[in-house]
Amino acid sequence: MKTILITGATSGIGKSTAKMAIENKMKLIVVARNPKLVDKLTNELLTIDPNADISSFLCDFTDLKSIQEAAACILMKHPKIDYVYLNAGALPKKKKEYMNDVPIAYLVNFIGPRYFFELIKPSLINGKEQTLLYTVSMSSPKKITNVIRKDFEKLSKMKSYGIGKLLSANYFTNLKDEEIKVRFIDPRIVYSNATINFLPKLIRFIHPLIRLVSRMPEKIAKEVEKIIDLESEKRVSLFIRGKQKPLKKLYLDKQVLRFGEEVYQSGVKKLLK
Ligand SMILES: NC(=O)c1ccc[n+]([C@@H]2O[C@H](COP(=O)([O-])OP(=O)(O)OC[C@H]3O[C@@H](n4cnc5c(N)ncnc54)[C@H](OP(=O)(O)O)[C@@H]3O)[C@@H](O)[C@H]2O)c1
């Protein structure tokens, strides 16, 4: 029985992927922040398979201490994990939102997931498949060079989110652990809470219309189902609509890597002091 860990498994793409995992008789490790949603998810999954093997761990990616606690329990209970799907991520609620001086957009989409990954990595390395999946974003952070020159204040919510996602993609592309296969999933526009919340409150009622121009989370889960075991000569690959595409240049960029390293090290220091 293969084991998959999914973060942000309580809604959207994560939830559909959790269902896919249970349908495929995988052992599922749910990592999420909301206990009520975790209970709801577990009940739904047990209606698919009453014998499903599901364990869940609570952590919030804006809270490094909660990540440490969850990771310690995961390492103890699950010393071997085949697939880790780092899917949790979010747009910041406000343009300039910080925690201890660290932009939330970087915290949720980069610092938190990377910190979590580094802690649970031994279980992934012990697993048979050694595959890391990560949901990237299509938004192209054109202003990355400005940001590297420390111009965060001028960024829109969407751009800061896109940069958080890019820093993660760049970090995972340049991982030193040669044995870990990395699969980036670019889902394009998906009909989920994330997309609905992106609409200004006054016009949020039009959200059913977004369905017309977006993809459903179940569709992404189907793509993940195919991608997960795909043989590829490349250690790191990017998938858009289930098809392998060339890696984006910024994922490989050494300047972005250095900037990410600064953001990560100073962020962790500020958040753990
Ligand atoms: N929707 C799109 O068009 C789109 C496009 C490109 C990339 N993506 C990325 O795809 C991933 C999944 O998004 P989705 O579209 O399925 O949206 P979603 O339904 O909002 O799912 C996001 C998941 O991340 C979790 N999450 C958010 N902030 C968190 C935090 N601080 N700590 C722990 N978990 C947190 C949420 O938890 P709760 O369930 O508790 O809210 C939720 O389960 C995200 O990384 C998103 O950035 C989405």
Side-chain angles (χ1 to χ4, degrees):
M1 194 187 232
K2 291 191 178 157
T3 304
I4 184 166
L5 178 152
I6 306 175
T7 71
T10 41
S11 71
I13 299 170
K15 186 170 182 176
S16 294
T17 311
K19 287 183 181 166
M20 177 282 285
I22 295 302
E23 281 158 8
N24 281 282
K25 306 277 176 221
M26 289 184 187
K27 190 167 161 178
L28 174 66
I29 306 167
V30 168
V31 177
R33 61 178 167 175
N34 182 328
K36 282 194 184 137
L37 291 182
V38 170
D39 286 347
K40 190 169 172 266
L41 171 74
T42 309
N43 290 334
E44 282 184 47
L45 296 174
L46 289 172
T47 61
I48 300 174
D49 178 1
N51 299 317
D53 187 336
I54 308 163
S55 51
S56 49
F57 300 87
L58 292 174
C59 78
D60 189 311
F61 283 108
T62 60
D63 175 357
L64 298 194
K65 295 236 165 74
S66 81
I67 296 179
Q68 280 175 349
E69 283 163 17
C73 297
I74 292 170
L75 283 176
M76 216 160 55
K77 289 200 180 157
H78 299 283
K80 288 183 187 179
I81 301 176
D82 295 297
Y83 310 100
V84 168
Y85 186 6
L86 296 179
N87 162 73
L91 272 175
K93 289 198 180 74
K94 289 182 285 183
K95 193 173 165 195
K96 291 169 202 159
E97 205 186 357
Y98 297 89
M99 184 175 287
N100 290 10
D101 235 12
V102 180
I104 293 282
Y106 294 171
L107 183 49
V108 180
N109 299 297
F110 172 51
I111 301 172
R114 171 173 164 185
Y115 190 66
F116 174 76
F117 173 75
E118 287 183 358
L119 293 175
I120 58 128
K121 197 165 66 178
S123 291
L124 183 62
I125 290 176
N126 280 338
K128 204 165 163 234
E129 304 299 331
Q130 301 173 326
T131 301
L132 169 71
L133 300 133
Y134 178 73
T135 323
V136 290
S137 164
M138 68 171 186
S139 63
S140 67
K142 286 188 192 122
K143 289 192 180 161
I144 185 80
T145 42
N146 290 355
V147 178
I148 287 172
R149 291 189 212 113
K150 314 266 187 285
D151 218 356
F152 177 80
E153 291 287 309
K154 289 193 184 146
L155 292 175
S156 66
K157 279 197 306 187
M158 193 64 184
K159 284 264 156 46
S160 60
Y161 156 83
I163 289 168
K165 285 273 173 193
L166 167 68
L167 294 180
S168 282
N170 177 280
Y171 170 72
F172 292 126
T173 302
N174 294 287
L175 269 187
K176 297 276 181 290
D177 309 86
E178 282 300 316
E179 62 274 62
I180 297 180
K181 288 170 255 171
V182 181
R183 306 278 180 260
F184 294 125
I185 321 286
D186 181 340
R188 315 312 276 185
I189 300 171
V190 181
Y191 184 69
S192 66
N193 291 344
T195 330
I196 296 168
N197 293 337
F198 181 62
L199 292 173
K201 272 195 185 135
L202 272 176
I203 58 158
R204 210 165 276 170
F205 67 92
I206 62 144
H207 72 80
L209 291 177
I210 303 179
R211 289 180 88 116
L212 304 174
V213 289
S214 56
R215 311 178 74 223
M216 298 308 284
E218 296 76 20
K219 178 98 183 141
I220 315 302
K222 275 269 156 225
E223 290 169 6
V224 173
E225 185 179 19
K226 285 192 191 134
I227 289 163
I228 209 162
D229 277 330
L230 206 75
E231 285 300 326
S232 170
E233 288 152 22
K234 298 200 171 99
R235 192 182 69 80
V236 185
S237 10
L238 168 68
F239 292 88
I240 302 177
R241 294 179 188 277
K243 300 230 161 58
Q244 197 166 342
K245 301 282 177 191
L247 269 193
K248 294 180 182 169
K249 272 195 194 137
L250 283 172
Y251 290 4
L252 295 151
D253 191 299
K254 293 290 174 225
Q255 206 190 354
V256 174
L257 190 67
R258 277 195 297 279
F259 173 66
E261 208 49 42
E262 261 172 50
V263 166
Y264 181 76
Q265 299 302 344
S266 72
V268 169
K269 209 165 143 191
K270 284 176 190 162
L271 292 157
L272 285 179
K273 79 175 174 203

